[in-house]
Amino acid sequence: MGEVNIVKLHGIGANPYSKRVEPALRIKGIPYEFIEEDLSNKSQLLLKSNPVYKKIPVLVHNEQPVVDSLIILEYIDETWKNAPQLLPDDPLERAKVRFWTSFIQQQLFEAMTRVVTCDGEIQAKAIDEVQGKMKVLEEGMKEVFPGSGSPSIDGDNLGLLDIMICSTFSPYKAYEEALGVKILDPERNPLVFCWVKALNELPLVKELYPPHDKLVALLKVVRENALRVSSST
């Protein structure tokens, strides 16, 4: 008999961190139970599974928790070695993917978060920062995918960078409508823009994300709550 794998994912349906993990589980063919969390009333199981940060997502594999979305993705890739592999076999190529994954998370996504949660001069500065970092990403991806114009998208063979780009930019139209800010510009960022459009056409991506109107409403709520908290401190 094969090893029994019981996988549970604690997350929030439209949360970008959760949306990094779900595609990996699905393309690997890993059955899992999604447990919707309420961050205003966190479950005891979440608090027990992630006592340090008390955040989602948390992957629980055979009752053993793994935390932090990027660590979870590498854990999935190393535990389930069937294709597709999320990271390249070649050490140099793997290092490049890890570098750009870190850049998207620590530089670009954090700046995008400030665009959503801040106002006035702070938001304006964050918008400028996002545009600058998008230019860096665009040029970097030209080196990662030389001569191709844009990555070749295969819904059955997505890698870690595909997942990061998807979870970060797939809802770009919702960002534009909710914030009145253009995050992804086809003229300034043609490679990344074409990449995101191709990803958004995949059935897997369409299944994972809520309808556009719901995403817009969620972003507005997140922004309103963040501004309310900011104004009260």
Side-chain angles (χ1 to χ4, degrees):
M1 294 180 62
E3 181 184 355
V4 175
N5 287 299
I6 300 175
V7 178
K8 299 178 182 180
L9 176 62
H10 294 259
I12 297 176
N15 181 275
Y17 295 99
S18 298
K19 285 294 177 275
R20 293 174 186 172
V21 180
E22 285 197 87
L25 292 169
R26 294 193 182 199
I27 64 175
K28 287 276 193 178
I30 303 167
Y32 67 98
E33 176 187 355
F34 186 84
I35 300 172
E36 184 83 21
E37 288 285 347
D38 178 0
L39 295 188
S40 64
N41 183 26
K42 298 173 184 178
S43 71
Q44 289 302 309
L45 188 54
L46 173 63
L47 297 175
K48 179 182 177 181
S49 300
N50 190 1
V52 177
Y53 295 112
K54 302 177 176 62
K55 293 180 179 180
I56 54 96
V58 175
L59 184 81
V60 182
H61 178 210
N62 292 340
E63 300 186 357
Q64 298 299 315
V66 184
V67 303
D68 187 289
S69 60
L70 297 183
I71 293 173
I72 292 171
L73 289 171
E74 293 213 25
Y75 175 82
I76 289 170
D77 207 31
E78 292 169 0
T79 303
W80 287 272
K81 297 187 181 298
N82 58 290
Q85 290 298 115
L86 304 181
L87 283 159
D89 289 330
D90 180 77
L92 181 58
E93 294 304 314
R94 191 160 61 244
K96 290 178 182 178
V97 168
R98 283 182 170 137
F99 172 84
W100 285 111
T101 296
S102 177
F103 176 84
I104 293 169
Q105 168 58 35
Q106 297 180 13
Q107 299 288 323
L108 186 50
F109 186 72
E110 293 300 325
M112 288 174 61
T113 300
R114 289 193 292 277
V115 173
V116 176
T117 58
C118 297
D119 209 356
E121 291 183 7
I122 297 176
Q123 187 193 48
K125 184 178 179 181
I127 292 169
D128 289 341
E129 187 178 352
V130 168
Q131 292 176 350
K133 294 186 186 305
M134 283 297 302
K135 181 178 180 180
V136 173
L137 179 65
E138 180 79 14
E139 294 304 313
M141 292 304 95
K142 289 177 183 178
E143 295 181 9
V144 173
F145 305 106
S148 63
S150 63
S152 176
I153 303 301
D154 180 352
D156 296 322
N157 197 33
L158 298 180
L160 184 57
L161 271 180
D162 293 305
I163 289 172
M164 286 297 294
I165 290 291
C166 184
S167 63
T168 305
F169 297 111
S170 277
Y172 74 95
K173 290 183 178 179
Y175 276 92
E176 291 178 4
E177 185 170 334
L179 306 175
V181 174
K182 187 178 286 293
I183 296 291
L184 190 59
D185 191 310
E187 294 185 3
R188 287 197 298 258
N189 323 115
L191 187 154
V192 177
F193 183 81
C194 290
W195 194 354
V196 172
K197 282 196 68 176
L199 287 167
N200 281 349
E201 290 301 312
L202 297 177
L204 168 67
V205 176
K206 291 180 178 180
E207 291 170 7
L208 280 174
Y209 281 92
H212 172 78
D213 290 347
K214 185 175 181 180
L215 279 172
V216 171
L218 287 170
L219 279 169
K220 287 182 177 179
V221 169
V222 170
R223 177 166 172 75
E224 288 169 3
N225 289 341
L227 293 177
R228 188 180 303 114
V229 170
S230 176
S231 64
S232 64
T233 56

